[in-house]
Amino acid sequence: EGEPDLRLVHPKLGRVVWAEIKREKGKLTDRQQEAILVLQEAGQEVYVWRPSSWAHIIKVLGGGVTDDHITR
């Protein structure tokens, strides 16, 4: 409970992406918000992805460097 749904690790790039998967109008629980904040404070890439986030997901997973970590 709380930790994002996905932890994607790319050892060769030294990259870790955390992602919480939500329905389009799904809301984060308090525990999820807290976990995301802790990960962000630790310098981690953390996202909340919804069906409408598809283009952003492709960008992130395609290796695009982005600082627009979605946490809504």
Side-chain angles (χ1 to χ4, degrees):
E1 290 183 31
E3 184 172 305
D5 295 317
L6 301 175
R7 177 180 42 205
L8 307 168
V9 180
H10 194 303
K12 290 184 181 179
L13 294 179
R15 186 174 182 200
V16 179
V17 173
W18 299 83
E20 177 64 34
I21 309 302
K22 287 290 183 193
R23 293 175 187 223
E24 199 59 49
K25 295 185 181 185
K27 297 186 181 196
L28 295 171
T29 66
D30 290 342
R31 292 181 103 172
Q32 289 170 329
Q33 289 176 342
E34 183 179 324
I36 288 169
L37 181 60
V38 168
L39 288 166
Q40 287 176 323
E41 288 174 348
Q44 297 293 298
E45 265 184 88
V46 187
Y47 304 92
V48 176
W49 285 335
R50 303 170 187 285
S52 62
S53 306
W54 192 246
H56 184 261
I57 295 167
I58 297 300
K59 178 180 175 185
V60 171
L61 297 183
V65 178
T66 179
D67 59 2
D68 58 343
H69 301 191
I70 300 173
T71 57
R72 293 181 284 245

